[in-house]
Short mmCIF file of all heavy atoms in Angstrom, two decimals:
data_model
loop_
_atom_site.label_atom_id
_atom_site.label_comp_id
_atom_site.label_asym_id
_atom_site.label_seq_id
_atom_site.Cartn_x
_atom_site.Cartn_y
_atom_site.Cartn_z
N MET A 534 -121.73 202.87 3.96
CA MET A 534 -121.20 204.01 3.11
C MET A 534 -121.85 205.36 3.63
O MET A 534 -121.12 206.35 3.68
CB MET A 534 -121.52 203.75 1.63
CG MET A 534 -120.79 202.57 0.98
SD MET A 534 -121.37 202.14 -0.63
CE MET A 534 -120.71 203.51 -1.53
N LYS A 535 -123.02 205.35 3.93
CA LYS A 535 -123.73 206.53 4.43
C LYS A 535 -123.12 206.97 5.76
O LYS A 535 -122.78 208.21 6.00
CB LYS A 535 -125.22 206.38 4.58
CG LYS A 535 -125.98 207.53 5.17
CD LYS A 535 -127.46 207.22 5.20
CE LYS A 535 -128.29 208.49 5.46
NZ LYS A 535 -127.92 209.08 6.85
N ARG A 536 -122.80 206.06 6.64
CA ARG A 536 -122.19 206.37 7.85
C ARG A 536 -120.84 206.95 7.64
O ARG A 536 -120.35 207.93 8.40
CB ARG A 536 -122.17 205.26 8.92
CG ARG A 536 -121.73 205.62 10.21
CD ARG A 536 -121.84 204.59 11.32
NE ARG A 536 -121.45 205.16 12.64
CZ ARG A 536 -121.35 204.44 13.71
NH1 ARG A 536 -121.72 203.15 13.67
NH2 ARG A 536 -120.99 204.99 14.84
N ALA A 537 -120.03 206.45 6.78
CA ALA A 537 -118.71 206.96 6.54
C ALA A 537 -118.75 208.31 6.12
O ALA A 537 -117.78 209.15 6.37
CB ALA A 537 -118.08 206.10 5.36
N VAL A 538 -119.80 208.74 5.39
CA VAL A 538 -120.01 210.15 4.99
C VAL A 538 -120.50 211.08 6.19
O VAL A 538 -120.03 212.15 6.40
CB VAL A 538 -120.91 210.33 3.81
CG1 VAL A 538 -121.15 211.73 3.43
CG2 VAL A 538 -120.28 209.59 2.50
N ASP A 539 -121.51 210.54 6.90
CA ASP A 539 -122.12 211.33 7.89
C ASP A 539 -121.45 211.41 9.16
O ASP A 539 -121.61 212.28 10.03
CB ASP A 539 -123.55 210.72 8.14
CG ASP A 539 -124.46 210.80 7.08
OD1 ASP A 539 -124.19 211.63 6.06
OD2 ASP A 539 -125.54 210.05 6.97
N ASP A 540 -120.55 210.43 9.51
CA ASP A 540 -119.92 210.31 10.88
C ASP A 540 -118.39 210.22 10.64
O ASP A 540 -117.77 209.14 10.73
CB ASP A 540 -120.42 209.14 11.53
CG ASP A 540 -120.05 209.14 13.02
OD1 ASP A 540 -119.07 209.93 13.41
OD2 ASP A 540 -120.52 208.27 13.83
N PRO A 541 -117.70 211.32 10.16
CA PRO A 541 -116.25 211.27 9.92
C PRO A 541 -115.41 210.85 11.11
O PRO A 541 -114.39 210.26 10.94
CB PRO A 541 -115.99 212.70 9.47
CG PRO A 541 -117.07 213.46 9.94
CD PRO A 541 -118.26 212.68 9.96
N LEU A 542 -115.73 211.19 12.29
CA LEU A 542 -115.11 210.86 13.48
C LEU A 542 -115.02 209.21 13.67
O LEU A 542 -113.92 208.62 13.98
CB LEU A 542 -115.58 211.50 14.69
CG LEU A 542 -115.43 212.95 14.75
CD1 LEU A 542 -116.01 213.52 16.18
CD2 LEU A 542 -113.93 213.32 14.75
N TRP A 543 -116.27 208.66 13.46
CA TRP A 543 -116.24 207.18 13.49
C TRP A 543 -115.40 206.55 12.38
O TRP A 543 -114.68 205.67 12.70
CB TRP A 543 -117.70 206.75 13.31
CG TRP A 543 -117.91 205.27 13.12
CD1 TRP A 543 -117.97 204.28 14.07
CD2 TRP A 543 -118.08 204.65 11.92
NE1 TRP A 543 -118.16 203.07 13.51
CE2 TRP A 543 -118.14 203.26 12.15
CE3 TRP A 543 -118.11 205.13 10.55
CZ2 TRP A 543 -118.36 202.30 11.09
CZ3 TRP A 543 -118.32 204.11 9.50
CH2 TRP A 543 -118.38 202.79 9.76
N ALA A 544 -115.56 207.13 11.19
CA ALA A 544 -114.81 206.55 10.04
C ALA A 544 -113.22 206.69 10.32
O ALA A 544 -112.55 205.65 10.06
CB ALA A 544 -115.06 207.23 8.83
N ARG A 545 -112.77 207.79 10.90
CA ARG A 545 -111.45 207.93 11.19
C ARG A 545 -111.00 206.98 12.31
O ARG A 545 -109.81 206.39 12.22
CB ARG A 545 -111.14 209.37 11.55
CG ARG A 545 -109.69 209.74 11.71
CD ARG A 545 -109.43 211.27 11.82
NE ARG A 545 -108.04 211.49 11.85
CZ ARG A 545 -107.52 212.67 11.98
NH1 ARG A 545 -108.36 213.79 12.08
NH2 ARG A 545 -106.27 212.97 12.07
N ARG A 546 -111.75 206.88 13.33
CA ARG A 546 -111.44 205.88 14.48
C ARG A 546 -111.29 204.48 13.88
O ARG A 546 -110.27 203.89 14.31
CB ARG A 546 -112.44 205.98 15.58
CG ARG A 546 -112.13 205.05 16.71
CD ARG A 546 -113.24 205.16 17.80
NE ARG A 546 -114.58 204.98 17.30
CZ ARG A 546 -115.15 203.74 17.02
NH1 ARG A 546 -114.49 202.69 17.27
NH2 ARG A 546 -116.42 203.64 16.58
N VAL A 547 -112.25 204.05 13.12
CA VAL A 547 -112.18 202.68 12.73
C VAL A 547 -111.06 202.52 11.72
O VAL A 547 -110.26 201.42 11.80
CB VAL A 547 -113.52 202.25 11.99
CG1 VAL A 547 -113.38 200.93 11.33
CG2 VAL A 547 -114.60 202.33 13.00
N ALA A 548 -110.72 203.54 10.94
CA ALA A 548 -109.65 203.43 9.97
C ALA A 548 -108.25 203.31 10.70
O ALA A 548 -107.39 202.50 10.38
CB ALA A 548 -109.63 204.54 9.09
#
Side-chain angles (χ1 to χ4, degrees):
M534 294 171 71
K535 182 177 186 300
R536 185 170 185 184
V538 174
D539 295 345
D540 192 348
L542 292 179
W543 169 83
R545 188 171 182 181
R546 174 180 58 79
V547 173

